[in-house]
Coordinates of all heavy atoms in Angstrom, one line a residue:
M986 N 11.0 -8.9 13.2 CA 11.6 -9.3 11.9 C 13.0 -9.7 12.2 O 13.7 -9.0 12.9 CB 11.6 -8.1 11.0 CG 12.1 -8.4 9.6 SD 12.1 -7.0 8.4 CE 11.0 -5.8 9.0
Y987 N 13.4 -10.8 11.7 CA 14.8 -11.2 11.9 C 15.4 -11.6 10.5 O 14.7 -11.9 9.6 CB 15.0 -12.4 12.9 CG 14.8 -13.7 12.2 CD1 16.0 -14.4 11.7 CD2 13.6 -14.4 12.2 CE1 15.9 -15.6 11.1 CE2 13.5 -15.6 11.6 CZ 14.7 -16.2 11.1 OH 14.6 -17.5 10.5
N988 N 16.7 -11.4 10.4 CA 17.3 -11.7 9.1 C 18.5 -12.7 9.3 O 19.1 -12.7 10.4 CB 18.0 -10.4 8.6 CG 16.9 -9.3 8.3 OD1 15.8 -9.6 7.9 ND2 17.3 -8.1 8.5
N989 N 18.7 -13.5 8.3 CA 19.9 -14.3 8.3 C 20.6 -13.9 7.0 O 20.2 -13.0 6.3 CB 19.6 -15.8 8.5 CG 18.9 -16.4 7.3 OD1 19.0 -15.9 6.2 ND2 18.2 -17.5 7.5
K990 N 21.6 -14.7 6.7 CA 22.5 -14.3 5.5 C 21.7 -14.2 4.2 O 21.9 -13.3 3.4 CB 23.7 -15.2 5.4 CG 24.7 -14.8 4.4 CD 25.9 -15.6 4.5 CE 27.0 -15.1 3.6 NZ 28.2 -15.9 3.6
Y991 N 20.8 -15.2 3.9 CA 20.2 -15.2 2.6 C 18.6 -15.0 2.6 O 18.1 -14.7 1.6 CB 20.5 -16.6 2.0 CG 22.0 -16.8 1.8 CD1 22.6 -17.7 2.7 CD2 22.7 -16.1 0.9 CE1 24.0 -17.9 2.6 CE2 24.1 -16.2 0.8 CZ 24.7 -17.1 1.6 OH 26.1 -17.3 1.5
K992 N 18.0 -15.2 3.8 CA 16.6 -15.1 3.9 C 16.2 -14.2 5.0 O 17.0 -13.9 5.9 CB 15.9 -16.5 4.1 CG 16.1 -17.4 2.9 CD 15.3 -18.6 3.2 CE 15.5 -19.6 2.1 NZ 14.5 -19.7 1.1
M993 N 15.0 -13.7 5.0 CA 14.5 -12.8 6.1 C 13.1 -13.1 6.3 O 12.4 -13.7 5.4 CB 14.7 -11.3 5.7 CG 13.9 -10.9 4.5 SD 14.2 -9.1 4.1 CE 12.9 -8.4 5.1
E994 N 12.6 -12.8 7.5 CA 11.2 -13.0 7.9 C 10.7 -11.5 8.0 O 11.3 -10.7 8.7 CB 11.0 -13.8 9.1 CG 11.2 -15.2 8.9 CD 10.9 -16.1 10.1 OE1 10.6 -15.5 11.2 OE2 10.9 -17.3 10.0
M995 N 9.6 -11.3 7.4 CA 8.9 -10.0 7.5 C 7.5 -10.2 8.0 O 6.7 -10.8 7.4 CB 8.9 -9.3 6.1 CG 8.2 -8.0 6.1 SD 8.2 -7.4 4.4 CE 8.6 -5.7 4.7
E996 N 7.2 -9.6 9.2 CA 5.9 -9.7 9.8 C 5.1 -8.5 9.3 O 5.5 -7.4 9.5 CB 5.9 -9.7 11.3 CG 4.5 -9.9 11.9 CD 4.5 -10.0 13.4 OE1 5.3 -9.3 14.0 OE2 3.7 -10.7 13.9
V997 N 4.0 -8.8 8.6 CA 3.0 -7.8 8.2 C 1.8 -7.8 9.1 O 1.2 -8.9 9.3 CB 2.6 -8.0 6.7 CG1 1.7 -6.9 6.2 CG2 3.9 -8.1 5.8
I998 N 1.5 -6.6 9.6 CA 0.4 -6.5 10.6 C -0.7 -5.6 10.0 O -0.4 -4.5 9.5 CB 0.9 -5.9 11.9 CG1 2.0 -6.8 12.4 CG2 -0.2 -5.8 12.9 CD1 2.8 -6.2 13.6
N999 N -1.9 -6.1 10.1 CA -3.1 -5.3 9.7 C -3.8 -4.9 11.0 O -4.1 -5.7 11.9 CB -4.0 -6.1 8.9 CG -5.2 -5.3 8.4 OD1 -5.1 -4.5 7.5 ND2 -6.4 -5.6 9.0
T1000 N -4.0 -3.6 11.1 CA -4.7 -3.1 12.3 C -6.0 -2.3 11.9 O -6.2 -1.9 10.8 CB -3.8 -2.1 13.2 OG1 -3.5 -1.0 12.4 CG2 -2.6 -2.8 13.6
W1001 N -6.9 -2.2 12.9 CA -8.2 -1.5 12.7 C -8.3 -0.4 13.6 O -8.2 -0.5 14.8 CB -9.3 -2.5 12.9 CG -9.2 -3.7 12.0 CD1 -8.7 -5.0 12.3 CD2 -9.6 -3.8 10.6 NE1 -8.8 -5.8 11.2 CE2 -9.3 -5.1 10.2 CE3 -10.2 -2.9 9.8 CZ2 -9.6 -5.5 8.9 CZ3 -10.4 -3.3 8.5 CH2 -10.1 -4.6 8.0
D1002 N -8.7 0.8 13.1 CA -9.0 2.0 13.9 C -10.5 2.2 13.7 O -10.9 3.0 12.8 CB -8.1 3.2 13.4 CG -8.4 4.4 14.2 OD1 -9.1 4.3 15.2 OD2 -7.9 5.5 13.8
D1003 N -11.3 1.4 14.4 CA -12.7 1.5 14.1 C -13.6 1.3 15.4 O -14.7 0.8 15.4 CB -13.1 0.5 13.1 CG -12.9 -1.0 13.5 OD1 -12.4 -1.2 14.6 OD2 -13.1 -1.9 12.7
N1004 N -13.0 1.7 16.5 CA -13.7 1.6 17.8 C -14.2 0.2 18.1 O -15.3 0.0 18.4 CB -14.8 2.6 17.9 CG -15.2 2.9 19.4 OD1 -14.4 2.7 20.3 ND2 -16.4 3.4 19.6
N1005 N -13.3 -0.8 17.9 CA -13.6 -2.2 18.1 C -14.7 -2.7 17.3 O -15.6 -3.4 17.7 CB -13.8 -2.5 19.6 CG -13.6 -4.0 19.9 OD1 -12.9 -4.6 19.3 ND2 -14.3 -4.4 20.9
N1006 N -14.7 -2.3 16.0 CA -15.7 -2.7 15.0 C -17.2 -2.3 15.4 O -18.1 -3.0 15.1 CB -15.7 -4.2 14.8 CG -16.3 -4.6 13.5 OD1 -16.5 -3.8 12.5 ND2 -16.7 -5.9 13.4
E1007 N -17.2 -1.1 16.0 CA -18.5 -0.6 16.5 C -19.6 -0.6 15.4 O -20.8 -0.9 15.7 CB -18.3 0.8 17.1 CG -19.6 1.4 17.6 CD -19.3 2.8 18.2 OE1 -18.8 3.7 17.5 OE2 -19.7 3.0 19.4
A1008 N -19.3 -0.2 14.2 CA -20.3 -0.1 13.1 C -20.5 -1.5 12.4 O -21.3 -1.6 11.5 CB -19.8 0.9 12.1
S1009 N -19.8 -2.5 12.8 CA -19.9 -3.9 12.2 C -19.6 -3.9 10.7 O -20.3 -4.6 10.0 CB -21.3 -4.4 12.5 OG -21.5 -4.6 13.9
K1010 N -18.6 -3.1 10.3 CA -18.3 -3.0 8.9 C -17.0 -3.7 8.5 O -16.6 -3.8 7.4 CB -18.2 -1.6 8.4 CG -19.5 -0.8 8.6 CD -20.6 -1.3 7.7 CE -21.8 -0.5 7.8 NZ -22.9 -1.0 7.1
R1011 N -16.3 -4.2 9.5 CA -15.0 -4.9 9.3 C -15.2 -6.2 8.6 O -16.1 -7.0 8.9 CB -14.4 -5.2 10.7 CG -12.9 -5.6 10.6 CD -12.4 -5.9 12.0 NE -12.3 -4.7 12.8 CZ -11.8 -4.8 14.1 NH1 -11.5 -5.9 14.6 NH2 -11.8 -3.7 14.8
P1012 N -14.3 -6.4 7.6 CA -14.5 -7.7 6.8 C -14.1 -8.9 7.7 O -13.3 -8.7 8.7 CB -13.5 -7.5 5.6 CG -12.5 -6.5 6.1 CD -13.3 -5.6 7.0
K1013 N -14.5 -10.1 7.3 CA -14.1 -11.3 8.0 C -12.6 -11.7 7.8 O -12.0 -12.3 8.6 CB -15.0 -12.5 7.5 CG -16.5 -12.2 7.8 CD -17.0 -13.3 8.7 CE -18.5 -13.2 8.9 NZ -18.9 -12.4 10.0
S1014 N -12.1 -11.3 6.6 CA -10.7 -11.5 6.3 C -10.2 -10.5 5.3 O -11.0 -9.8 4.6 CB -10.5 -12.9 5.8 OG -11.1 -13.0 4.5
V1015 N -8.9 -10.4 5.2 CA -8.2 -9.5 4.2 C -7.0 -10.3 3.7 O -6.5 -11.2 4.3 CB -7.8 -8.1 4.8 CG1 -9.0 -7.3 5.2 CG2 -6.8 -8.3 6.0
T1016 N -6.5 -9.8 2.6 CA -5.3 -10.4 2.0 C -4.1 -9.5 2.1 O -4.2 -8.4 1.5 CB -5.5 -10.8 0.5 OG1 -6.6 -11.7 0.5 CG2 -4.3 -11.5 -0.1
L1017 N -3.1 -9.8 2.9 CA -1.9 -9.0 3.0 C -1.0 -9.3 1.8 O -0.9 -10.5 1.4 CB -1.2 -9.3 4.3 CG -2.0 -9.1 5.6 CD1 -1.2 -9.5 6.8 CD2 -2.5 -7.7 5.7
Q1018 N -0.3 -8.3 1.4 CA 0.6 -8.5 0.2 C 2.0 -7.9 0.6 O 2.1 -6.9 1.2 CB 0.1 -7.8 -1.0 CG -1.2 -8.2 -1.5 CD -1.7 -7.4 -2.6 OE1 -1.6 -6.2 -2.7 NE2 -2.3 -8.1 -3.6
V1019 N 3.0 -8.6 0.0 CA 4.4 -8.1 0.0 C 4.7 -7.8 -1.5 O 4.5 -8.7 -2.3 CB 5.4 -9.1 0.6 CG1 6.8 -8.6 0.5 CG2 5.1 -9.4 2.1
K1020 N 5.2 -6.6 -1.7 CA 5.5 -6.2 -3.1 C 7.0 -5.9 -3.3 O 7.7 -5.5 -2.4 CB 4.7 -5.0 -3.5 CG 3.2 -5.3 -3.5 CD 2.4 -4.1 -4.0 CE 0.9 -4.4 -4.1 NZ 0.2 -3.3 -4.6
L1021 N 7.4 -6.1 -4.5 CA 8.8 -5.7 -5.0 C 8.6 -4.9 -6.3 O 8.0 -5.5 -7.2 CB 9.7 -6.9 -5.1 CG 11.1 -6.6 -5.7 CD1 11.8 -5.7 -4.7 CD2 11.8 -8.0 -5.8
D1022 N 9.0 -3.7 -6.3 CA 8.9 -2.8 -7.4 C 7.4 -2.7 -7.9 O 7.1 -2.8 -9.1 CB 9.8 -3.2 -8.6 CG 11.2 -3.1 -8.2 OD1 11.6 -2.2 -7.4 OD2 12.0 -4.0 -8.7
G1023 N 6.5 -2.7 -6.9 CA 5.0 -2.6 -7.3 C 4.4 -3.9 -7.6 O 3.2 -3.9 -7.8
K1024 N 5.1 -5.0 -7.8 CA 4.5 -6.3 -8.2 C 4.4 -7.2 -6.9 O 5.3 -7.3 -6.1 CB 5.4 -7.0 -9.2 CG 5.4 -6.2 -10.5 CD 6.4 -6.9 -11.5 CE 5.8 -8.2 -12.0 NZ 6.6 -8.8 -13.1
V1025 N 3.3 -7.9 -6.8 CA 3.1 -8.8 -5.7 C 4.0 -10.0 -5.8 O 4.0 -10.6 -6.8 CB 1.6 -9.2 -5.6 CG1 1.4 -10.2 -4.5 CG2 0.7 -8.0 -5.5
V1026 N 4.7 -10.2 -4.7 CA 5.6 -11.4 -4.7 C 5.1 -12.5 -3.7 O 5.5 -13.6 -3.8 CB 7.1 -11.0 -4.4 CG1 7.7 -10.2 -5.5 CG2 7.3 -10.3 -3.1
R1027 N 4.3 -12.1 -2.7 CA 3.7 -13.0 -1.7 C 2.4 -12.4 -1.3 O 2.2 -11.2 -1.2 CB 4.6 -13.2 -0.5 CG 6.0 -13.7 -0.7 CD 6.0 -15.2 -0.9 NE 7.3 -15.8 -0.7 CZ 8.2 -15.8 -1.6 NH1 8.1 -15.1 -2.7 NH2 9.4 -16.4 -1.4
E1028 N 1.5 -13.3 -0.9 CA 0.1 -12.9 -0.4 C -0.2 -13.9 0.7 O 0.2 -15.1 0.7 CB -1.0 -13.0 -1.4 CG -1.0 -11.9 -2.4 CD -2.2 -12.0 -3.4 OE1 -2.6 -13.1 -3.7 OE2 -2.6 -10.9 -3.7
A1029 N -1.0 -13.5 1.7 CA -1.6 -14.3 2.7 C -2.9 -13.8 3.2 O -3.0 -12.6 3.5 CB -0.6 -14.5 3.9
K1030 N -3.9 -14.6 3.2 CA -5.2 -14.2 3.7 C -5.2 -14.4 5.3 O -4.7 -15.4 5.8 CB -6.3 -15.1 3.1 CG -7.7 -14.6 3.3 CD -8.7 -15.4 2.5 CE -10.0 -14.7 2.4 NZ -10.9 -15.4 1.5
V1031 N -5.6 -13.3 5.9 CA -5.6 -13.3 7.4 C -7.0 -12.9 7.9 O -7.7 -12.2 7.2 CB -4.5 -12.4 8.0 CG1 -3.1 -12.9 7.6 CG2 -4.7 -11.0 7.6
S1032 N -7.2 -13.3 9.2 CA -8.5 -12.9 9.8 C -8.2 -12.7 11.3 O -7.1 -12.8 11.8 CB -9.5 -14.0 9.6 OG -9.1 -15.2 10.3
K1033 N -9.3 -12.6 12.1 CA -9.2 -12.3 13.5 C -8.4 -13.5 14.2 O -7.6 -13.3 15.0 CB -10.5 -12.2 14.1 CG -10.5 -11.9 15.6 CD -11.9 -11.6 16.1 CE -11.9 -11.3 17.6 NZ -13.2 -11.0 18.1
K1034 N -8.7 -14.7 13.7 CA -8.0 -15.9 14.3 C -6.5 -15.9 14.1 O -5.7 -16.4 14.9 CB -8.6 -17.2 13.8 CG -8.2 -17.6 12.4 CD -8.7 -19.0 12.1 CE -8.4 -19.4 10.7 NZ -6.9 -19.7 10.5
D1035 N -6.0 -15.2 13.1 CA -4.6 -15.0 12.8 C -4.0 -13.7 13.5 O -2.9 -13.4 13.3 CB -4.3 -14.9 11.3 CG -4.8 -16.0 10.5 OD1 -4.5 -17.2 10.8 OD2 -5.7 -15.8 9.6
E1036 N -4.9 -13.1 14.3 CA -4.6 -11.8 14.9 C -4.2 -10.7 13.8 O -3.4 -9.8 14.1 CB -3.5 -11.9 15.9 CG -3.9 -12.8 17.1 CD -2.8 -13.0 18.1 OE1 -1.7 -12.4 18.0 OE2 -3.1 -13.7 19.1
W1037 N -4.8 -10.9 12.6 CA -4.6 -9.9 11.5 C -3.1 -9.8 11.2 O -2.7 -8.7 10.8 CB -5.3 -8.6 11.8 CG -6.7 -8.7 12.1 CD1 -7.3 -8.7 13.3 CD2 -7.8 -9.0 11.2 NE1 -8.7 -8.9 13.2 CE2 -9.0 -9.0 11.9 CE3 -7.8 -9.1 9.8 CZ2 -10.2 -9.2 11.3 CZ3 -9.1 -9.3 9.2 CH2 -10.2 -9.4 9.9
R1038 N -2.3 -10.8 11.2 CA -0.9 -10.7 10.9 C -0.4 -12.0 10.2 O -1.0 -13.0 10.4 CB -0.1 -10.4 12.1 CG -0.2 -11.4 13.2 CD 0.6 -11.0 14.5 NE -0.1 -9.8 15.1 CZ 0.6 -8.9 15.7 NH1 1.9 -9.0 15.9 NH2 0.0 -7.9 16.2
H1039 N 0.7 -11.8 9.5 CA 1.3 -13.0 8.9 C 2.8 -12.7 8.8 O 3.3 -11.6 8.5 CB 0.8 -13.2 7.5 CG 1.3 -14.4 6.8 ND1 0.9 -15.7 7.1 CD2 2.3 -14.6 5.9 CE1 1.5 -16.6 6.4 NE2 2.4 -15.9 5.6
V1040 N 3.6 -13.8 8.9 CA 5.1 -13.7 8.8 C 5.4 -14.3 7.4 O 5.1 -15.5 7.2 CB 5.8 -14.4 9.9 CG1 7.3 -14.4 9.7 CG2 5.5 -13.8 11.3
F1041 N 6.0 -13.5 6.6 CA 6.5 -14.0 5.2 C 8.0 -14.3 5.3 O 8.7 -13.5 5.9 CB 6.3 -12.9 4.2 CG 4.8 -12.5 3.9 CD1 4.2 -11.5 4.7 CD2 4.1 -13.2 3.0 CE1 2.8 -11.2 4.4 CE2 2.8 -12.9 2.7 CZ 2.1 -11.9 3.5
E1042 N 8.4 -15.4 4.7 CA 9.8 -15.7 4.5 C 10.2 -15.3 3.1 O 9.6 -15.7 2.1 CB 10.1 -17.2 4.7 CG 11.6 -17.5 4.7 CD 11.9 -18.9 5.1 OE1 11.5 -19.3 6.2 OE2 12.5 -19.6 4.3
L1043 N 11.2 -14.4 3.0 CA 11.6 -13.8 1.7 C 13.1 -13.8 1.5 O 13.8 -13.8 2.4 CB 11.1 -12.3 1.8 CG 9.7 -12.0 2.0 CD1 9.4 -10.6 2.5 CD2 8.9 -12.3 0.8
P1044 N 13.4 -13.8 0.2 CA 14.9 -13.7 -0.1 C 15.4 -12.3 0.4 O 14.6 -11.3 0.3 CB 14.9 -13.7 -1.6 CG 13.7 -14.3 -2.1 CD 12.7 -14.0 -1.0
K1045 N 16.5 -12.3 1.0 CA 17.1 -11.0 1.5 C 17.8 -10.2 0.4 O 17.9 -9.0 0.4 CB 18.0 -11.3 2.7 CG 18.5 -10.0 3.3 CD 19.3 -10.3 4.6 CE 19.8 -9.0 5.2 NZ 20.6 -9.3 6.4
Y1046 N 18.4 -11.0 -0.5 CA 19.3 -10.3 -1.6 C 18.8 -10.7 -3.0 O 18.2 -11.8 -3.2 CB 20.7 -10.8 -1.5 CG 21.3 -10.4 -0.1 CD1 21.5 -11.4 0.9 CD2 21.7 -9.1 0.2 CE1 22.0 -11.1 2.1 CE2 22.3 -8.8 1.4 CZ 22.4 -9.8 2.4 OH 23.0 -9.5 3.6
D1047 N 19.0 -9.8 -3.9 CA 18.7 -10.1 -5.3 C 19.8 -10.9 -5.9 O 20.8 -11.1 -5.3 CB 18.3 -8.8 -6.1 CG 19.4 -7.9 -6.3 OD1 20.6 -8.2 -6.1 OD2 19.2 -6.7 -6.6
E1048 N 19.7 -11.2 -7.2 CA 20.8 -12.0 -7.9 C 22.1 -11.3 -8.0 O 23.1 -11.9 -8.2 CB 20.3 -12.5 -9.3 CG 19.9 -11.4 -10.2 CD 18.4 -10.9 -10.0 OE1 17.7 -11.5 -9.2 OE2 18.1 -9.9 -10.6
L1049 N 22.1 -10.0 -7.8 CA 23.4 -9.2 -7.8 C 24.0 -9.0 -6.4 O 25.0 -8.4 -6.3 CB 23.2 -7.9 -8.5 CG 22.7 -7.9 -10.0 CD1 22.4 -6.5 -10.5 CD2 23.7 -8.6 -10.8
G1050 N 23.3 -9.5 -5.4 CA 23.8 -9.4 -4.1 C 23.3 -8.1 -3.3 O 23.8 -7.8 -2.2
N1051 N 22.4 -7.4 -4.0 CA 21.9 -6.2 -3.3 C 20.7 -6.5 -2.4 O 19.9 -7.4 -2.7 CB 21.4 -5.2 -4.4 CG 22.5 -4.8 -5.3 OD1 23.6 -4.4 -4.9 ND2 22.2 -4.9 -6.6
E1052 N 20.7 -5.9 -1.2 CA 19.6 -6.2 -0.3 C 18.3 -5.7 -0.9 O 18.2 -4.6 -1.5 CB 19.8 -5.5 1.0 CG 18.9 -5.9 2.1 CD 19.3 -5.6 3.5 OE1 20.5 -5.2 3.7 OE2 18.5 -5.7 4.4
I1053 N 17.2 -6.5 -0.8 CA 15.9 -6.2 -1.4 C 15.1 -5.4 -0.5 O 15.1 -5.7 0.7 CB 15.2 -7.5 -1.8 CG1 16.0 -8.3 -2.8 CG2 13.8 -7.2 -2.3 CD1 15.5 -9.7 -3.0
E1054 N 14.5 -4.4 -1.0 CA 13.6 -3.5 -0.2 C 12.1 -3.8 -0.6 O 11.7 -3.5 -1.7 CB 13.9 -2.1 -0.3 CG 15.2 -1.7 0.3 CD 15.5 -0.2 0.4 OE1 14.5 0.5 0.6 OE2 16.6 0.2 0.3
Y1055 N 11.4 -4.4 0.3 CA 10.0 -4.8 0.0 C 9.1 -3.7 0.5 O 9.4 -3.0 1.4 CB 9.6 -6.1 0.7 CG 10.4 -7.3 0.2 CD1 11.6 -7.8 0.9 CD2 10.1 -8.0 -1.0 CE1 12.3 -8.8 0.4 CE2 10.8 -9.1 -1.4 CZ 11.9 -9.5 -0.7 OH 12.6 -10.6 -1.2
T1056 N 7.9 -3.7 0.0 CA 6.8 -2.8 0.5 C 5.6 -3.8 0.8 O 5.6 -4.9 0.4 CB 6.3 -1.8 -0.5 OG1 5.9 -2.4 -1.7 CG2 7.5 -0.8 -0.8
V1057 N 4.7 -3.3 1.6 CA 3.5 -4.1 1.9 C 2.2 -3.3 1.5 O 2.2 -2.1 1.2 CB 3.4 -4.4 3.4 CG1 4.6 -5.1 3.9 CG2 3.2 -3.1 4.2
D1058 N 1.2 -4.1 1.3 CA -0.1 -3.5 0.9 C -1.2 -4.5 1.4 O -0.9 -5.6 1.9 CB -0.2 -3.3 -0.6 CG -1.2 -2.3 -1.0 OD1 -2.0 -1.8 -0.2 OD2 -1.2 -1.9 -2.2
I1059 N -2.4 -4.1 1.2 CA -3.6 -5.0 1.5 C -4.4 -5.1 0.2 O -4.5 -4.1 -0.5 CB -4.4 -4.4 2.6 CG1 -5.5 -5.3 3.0 CG2 -4.9 -3.0 2.3 CD1 -6.2 -4.9 4.4
K1060 N -4.8 -6.3 -0.2 CA -5.4 -6.5 -1.5 C -6.7 -5.7 -1.6 O -7.0 -5.0 -2.5 CB -5.6 -8.0 -1.8 CG -6.1 -8.3 -3.1 CD -6.1 -9.8 -3.4 CE -6.4 -10.1 -4.8 NZ -6.3 -11.6 -5.0
E1061 N -7.6 -5.9 -0.6 CA -8.8 -5.3 -0.6 C -9.0 -4.4 0.6 O -8.6 -4.8 1.7 CB -10.0 -6.3 -0.7 CG -10.1 -7.2 0.5 CD -9.1 -8.4 0.5 OE1 -9.3 -9.3 -0.3 OE2 -8.1 -8.3 1.3
T1062 N -9.5 -3.2 0.4 CA -9.9 -2.4 1.5 C -11.3 -2.1 1.4 O -11.8 -1.7 0.3 CB -9.1 -1.0 1.5 OG1 -7.7 -1.3 1.5 CG2 -9.4 -0.1 2.6
E1063 N -12.1 -2.4 2.4 CA -13.5 -2.2 2.4 C -13.8 -0.7 2.1 O -13.0 0.1 2.5 CB -14.1 -2.6 3.7 CG -14.1 -4.1 4.0 CD -14.9 -4.9 3.0 OE1 -16.1 -4.6 2.9 OE2 -14.4 -5.9 2.4
K1064 N -14.9 -0.5 1.5 CA -15.3 0.9 1.1 C -15.5 1.7 2.4 O -15.6 3.0 2.3 CB -16.5 0.9 0.2 CG -17.8 0.3 0.9 CD -18.9 0.3 -0.1 CE -20.1 -0.4 0.5 NZ -21.2 -0.4 -0.4
Y1065 N -15.6 1.1 3.5 CA -15.9 1.9 4.8 C -14.6 2.3 5.4 O -14.6 2.9 6.5 CB -16.7 1.0 5.7 CG -18.0 0.6 5.1 CD1 -18.2 -0.7 4.8 CD2 -19.0 1.5 4.9 CE1 -19.4 -1.2 4.2 CE2 -20.2 1.1 4.3 CZ -20.4 -0.2 4.0 OH -21.6 -0.6 3.4
Y1066 N -13.4 1.9 4.9 CA -12.1 2.1 5.5 C -11.2 2.8 4.6 O -11.2 2.6 3.4 CB -11.5 0.8 5.9 CG -12.2 0.1 7.1 CD1 -13.3 -0.7 6.9 CD2 -11.8 0.4 8.4 CE1 -13.9 -1.3 7.9 CE2 -12.5 -0.2 9.4 CZ -13.6 -1.1 9.2 OH -14.2 -1.7 10.2
K1067 N -10.3 3.6 5.2 CA -9.2 4.3 4.5 C -7.9 3.7 5.0 O -7.7 3.6 6.2 CB -9.2 5.8 4.7 CG -8.1 6.5 4.0 CD -8.2 8.0 4.2 CE -7.1 8.7 3.5 NZ -7.1 10.1 3.8
K1068 N -7.0 3.2 4.1 CA -5.8 2.5 4.6 C -4.6 3.5 4.7 O -4.6 4.5 3.9 CB -5.4 1.4 3.7 CG -4.9 1.7 2.4 CD -4.5 0.5 1.6 CE -4.1 1.0 0.2 NZ -3.8 -0.1 -0.7
R1069 N -3.7 3.3 5.6 CA -2.5 4.0 5.7 C -1.4 3.0 6.0 O -1.7 2.0 6.8 CB -2.6 5.0 6.9 CG -1.4 5.9 7.0 CD -1.6 7.0 8.1 NE -1.3 6.5 9.4 CZ -2.1 6.3 10.4 NH1 -3.4 6.6 10.3 NH2 -1.8 5.8 11.6
I1070 N -0.3 3.1 5.4 CA 0.8 2.1 5.6 C 2.0 2.7 6.2 O 2.5 3.8 5.7 CB 1.2 1.4 4.2 CG1 -0.1 0.8 3.6 CG2 2.3 0.5 4.4 CD1 0.1 0.2 2.2
E1071 N 2.4 2.1 7.3 CA 3.6 2.6 8.0 C 4.6 1.4 8.2 O 4.3 0.5 9.0 CB 3.3 3.2 9.4 CG 2.4 4.4 9.3 CD 2.1 4.9 10.7 OE1 2.5 4.4 11.7 OE2 1.3 5.9 10.8
E1072 N 5.6 1.4 7.3 CA 6.6 0.3 7.3 C 5.8 -1.0 7.0 O 5.3 -1.2 5.9 CB 7.4 0.2 8.5 CG 8.3 1.5 8.7 CD 9.2 1.4 9.9 OE1 9.3 0.4 10.5 OE2 9.8 2.5 10.2
A1073 N 5.7 -2.0 7.9 CA 5.1 -3.2 7.6 C 3.7 -3.3 8.3 O 3.2 -4.4 8.6 CB 6.0 -4.4 8.0
T1074 N 3.2 -2.2 8.7 CA 1.9 -2.2 9.4 C 0.9 -1.4 8.5 O 1.1 -0.3 8.0 CB 2.0 -1.5 10.7 OG1 2.9 -2.2 11.6 CG2 0.6 -1.5 11.5
I1075 N -0.3 -2.0 8.3 CA -1.4 -1.4 7.6 C -2.4 -1.0 8.6 O -2.9 -1.8 9.4 CB -1.9 -2.4 6.5 CG1 -0.8 -2.8 5.6 CG2 -3.1 -1.8 5.8 CD1 -1.1 -4.1 4.8
I1076 N -2.8 0.3 8.6 CA -3.8 0.8 9.5 C -5.1 1.1 8.7 O -5.0 1.9 7.8 CB -3.3 2.0 10.2 CG1 -2.0 1.7 11.0 CG2 -4.4 2.6 11.2 CD1 -0.8 2.5 10.6
N1077 N -6.2 0.5 9.0 CA -7.4 0.7 8.4 C -8.3 1.5 9.3 O -8.7 1.0 10.4 CB -8.1 -0.6 8.0 CG -7.4 -1.4 7.0 OD1 -7.4 -1.0 5.8 ND2 -6.7 -2.4 7.4
T1078 N -8.6 2.7 8.9 CA -9.4 3.7 9.7 C -10.8 3.7 9.1 O -11.0 4.0 7.9 CB -8.8 5.1 9.7 OG1 -7.4 4.9 10.2 CG2 -9.6 6.0 10.6
Y1079 N -11.8 3.5 10.0 CA -13.2 3.6 9.6 C -13.5 5.1 9.3 O -13.2 6.0 10.0 CB -14.1 3.1 10.8 CG -15.6 3.1 10.4 CD1 -16.1 2.2 9.5 CD2 -16.4 4.0 11.0 CE1 -17.4 2.2 9.2 CE2 -17.8 4.0 10.7 CZ -18.3 3.1 9.8 OH -19.6 3.1 9.5
I1080 N -14.2 5.2 8.1 CA -14.6 6.6 7.7 C -16.1 6.7 7.6 O -16.9 5.8 7.5 CB -14.0 6.9 6.3 CG1 -14.3 5.8 5.3 CG2 -12.5 7.2 6.4 CD1 -13.8 6.1 3.9

């Protein structure tokens, strides 16, 4: 992630803890989300060809000049996975 004065890039990474898809339950794609105050501000669909990651370009400051703190999420989590979020990384564990 790098920042400049007015914009920032935030890389969101989706990972799989499923023994290399041993059970063949991993979806073909997922939608990564960036949220502000619980509301989705950006989305990107990613898949294996994207290495399950996306770089979002976002405003760094709000209209009052305060630095914005974003959160990340995944739109859909397959019923076979439990998600855990650590900063900008989403970990999907096979259950």
